[in-house]
Amino acid sequence: MRNYFKKFIIMFVMAVMLVFGASISAFADDSYVVGTANLNNTVENSAKVGDILKNPEKGWKRYDDSNNKFIYKGSGWRKDNNSNTYNAGHHYCSIPSSVTFKFFGSNFRFIAHRYKNINNYYSDHVYIKIDGIECGDFSEQINGEIYQLLLYQNNSLTKGIHTVELYTTNLGLNFDAIDINNDGYLIDSNESISLDKSTMNLNVGNSEQLTAITTPSAVGVTWTVSDPSIATIEVDPTNGKITKINALKEGTCTITATTNDEYKLSASCTINVTKKTEPIPTPDPQPTDTDYITNIAHAKGTNTNNPGGEVTIIFHGSSDTTLSLVKTTDVKDVWIGDNFTYTLVITNTGTKTAKAIVVNDPAPNHIDFNVSGVTTTQGTVDSSSTSKNIIVNVGDILPGGTVTIKIPSTVIA
C-alpha cells in the first residue's frame, strides 16, 4: 500500500510538471523582454543616445537580433556569439549592408556596439530610413569598444505601422537589438494589407464595392465602420475581403479592414456621403395665340354691337406645355340676356408635377361672368376676379391629374 501511494505521488508530480510545462509552452512568449526598471534607477525614462542600455527601460520591450522578423540584406552577414552583447550574440557584416524591420508603435531604439580597429570593419556612417524617408545617420566608429550602446532613438512617430531600414554605403554594420514601446510589436515584413480605394464619394442611397488585399492572401479580415448611421457594410459571405458600402445619410465616416491574425494590421477608407441634387428643370416656353382654343356661340335677334352676327368667345387660359386645356360651352345658340355655362378641363399629360397652375380668363365683348357661381374641382377662385376676368388659383397638378372649372356666363347687348 505504501509503495502504491509512493508511486501515485510520483506519477502525480510528473503529471503536474507536464501540465505546467505544457502551459509554459502554450502561453509564454520569449520573443521579447519587457523593461522593469529605468536607467540609473530614475522615475522616468532617462536613457539617451550614447548611454549603455543593457536592458529595456520601463514602458519598452526589447527584441533580440535573432528574431526572424529582422531582414538582413547583403552577403556578408554573420551571427557572432559574444557574451558582451545583448543575449550573448549579435549580427555583423564587414561590407556595405542593411537590416530592415516593420513594427507597430510610435517609438523605437537601436542597440548595438561600436568600435574602431585596424581593419575598420564598421562604417563611420549608418543611415536610417523610416517609411521610405531618410532620417539622418550616426557613426559606429569610436576609439575603444563599447557594447549594448543606445545609438539611435525616435520617439515622435505617429502610432501605427512603420518600416525601418538601417544601411551603410561603405564598410559594414552591426546589429544587436531594438526596443519598441510597450504596446507596439514587430510585424512580419512580408505581411501587408491595403484597400483598393483610400476615399469614396457616394450620394445618399447609392452603393459601391470596397476590396481588401492581404499578403499572404490566406489572411482573413474583419470590417468595421466608425459611424453606421452614415454608411453600412454587407460583407460578401464567399469572400470576406469584399464588402459593399451603402450610403445612408450625409456625413463622413471611416471603413476599416483589420487582419484576423496576431499582427492586426489595418487599412482604412474615408467615406464621404452627400445628398443627391436633382437637376433644375428648364422652363417650358409660354404658349402663343395659336395654342388657345376657340369656341363659338351665336347671338340671336338684334345685337347693337354685332347685329344678327356671331359672338366669338376666345378663352385665354395660360397652360404649361405638359398640360392639355379643353374648353366647351353647353349651348350652340343664345339670345341676348340668355345664360349659359362654359367649362375648362385641364389635364396634366406629362410625367412631372405641374407647379402652381393659375387660370386667367378675360371675358370677350357681349359676355359677363357670374363670379359667385364659378366652381372648380381643385383650388380657389381669386378674390380679384370680376365679371370681365376670372382668375382661378389651381395649384399643383400631379401627372395624369385633371381639374374642371365651370363658369356661369350671360350674353349682354
Side-chain angles (χ1 to χ4, degrees), residues 282-355:
T282 303
D284 295 322
Q286 291 299 312
T288 62
D289 286 343
T290 58
D291 294 321
Y292 296 124
I293 300 171
T294 301
N295 288 334
I296 298 175
H298 300 278
K300 293 182 179 180
T302 302
N303 184 333
T304 56
N305 294 319
N306 187 12
E310 294 182 342
V311 174
T312 300
I313 306 173
I314 302 177
F315 304 110
H316 294 280
S318 177
S319 62
D320 188 274
T321 56
T322 60
L323 300 176
S324 71
L325 185 59
V326 178
K327 306 170 184 181
T328 57
T329 60
D330 62 351
V331 294
K332 292 184 179 179
D333 299 317
V334 289
W335 293 91
I336 294 174
D338 284 351
N339 297 320
F340 68 95
T341 300
Y342 86 88
T343 303
L344 292 79
V345 178
I346 305 165
T347 304
N348 184 351
T349 59
T351 59
K352 295 182 178 179
T353 299
K355 297 286 187 178

Side-chain angles (χ1 to χ4, degrees), residues 11 74 80 90 93 107 145 159 248 284 287 325 382 387 407:
M11 292 177 64
D80 181 35
H90 73 133
C93 187
N107 310 328
E145 192 167 14
K159 189 174 183 179
L248 302 182
D284 295 322
L325 185 59
D382 196 273
S387 62
I407 305 177

Side-chain angles (χ1 to χ4, degrees), residues 225-390:
V225 56
S226 63
D227 189 342
S229 70
I230 294 174
T232 58
I233 53 176
E234 307 165 319
V235 177
D236 186 344
T238 61
N239 185 343
K241 295 178 187 176
I242 300 176
T243 188
K244 183 179 178 183
I245 311 301
N246 305 306
L248 302 182
K249 72 174 186 179
E250 289 182 282
T252 299
C253 64
T254 302
I255 304 293
T256 301
T258 304
T259 58
N260 295 332
D261 61 6
E262 59 181 310
Y263 302 125
K264 304 298 180 186
L265 304 184
S266 63
S268 298
C269 177
T270 301
I271 311 298
N272 300 308
V273 180
T274 56
K275 185 180 294 184
K276 186 176 181 180
T277 56
E278 295 289 344
I280 300 175
T282 303
D284 295 322
Q286 291 299 312
T288 62
D289 286 343
T290 58
D291 294 321
Y292 296 124
I293 300 171
T294 301
N295 288 334
I296 298 175
H298 300 278
K300 293 182 179 180
T302 302
N303 184 333
T304 56
N305 294 319
N306 187 12
E310 294 182 342
V311 174
T312 300
I313 306 173
I314 302 177
F315 304 110
H316 294 280
S318 177
S319 62
D320 188 274
T321 56
T322 60
L323 300 176
S324 71
L325 185 59
V326 178
K327 306 170 184 181
T328 57
T329 60
D330 62 351
V331 294
K332 292 184 179 179
D333 299 317
V334 289
W335 293 91
I336 294 174
D338 284 351
N339 297 320
F340 68 95
T341 300
Y342 86 88
T343 303
L344 292 79
V345 178
I346 305 165
T347 304
N348 184 351
T349 59
T351 59
K352 295 182 178 179
T353 299
K355 297 286 187 178
I357 301 302
V358 177
V359 175
N360 192 327
D361 266 314
N365 291 336
H366 316 296
I367 298 294
D368 271 352
F369 293 144
N370 179 4
V371 178
S372 62
V374 177
T375 61
T376 178
T377 58
Q378 178 178 311
T380 58
V381 178
D382 196 273
S383 60
S384 63
S385 296
T386 67
S387 62
K388 289 299 183 182
N389 190 56
I390 295 294

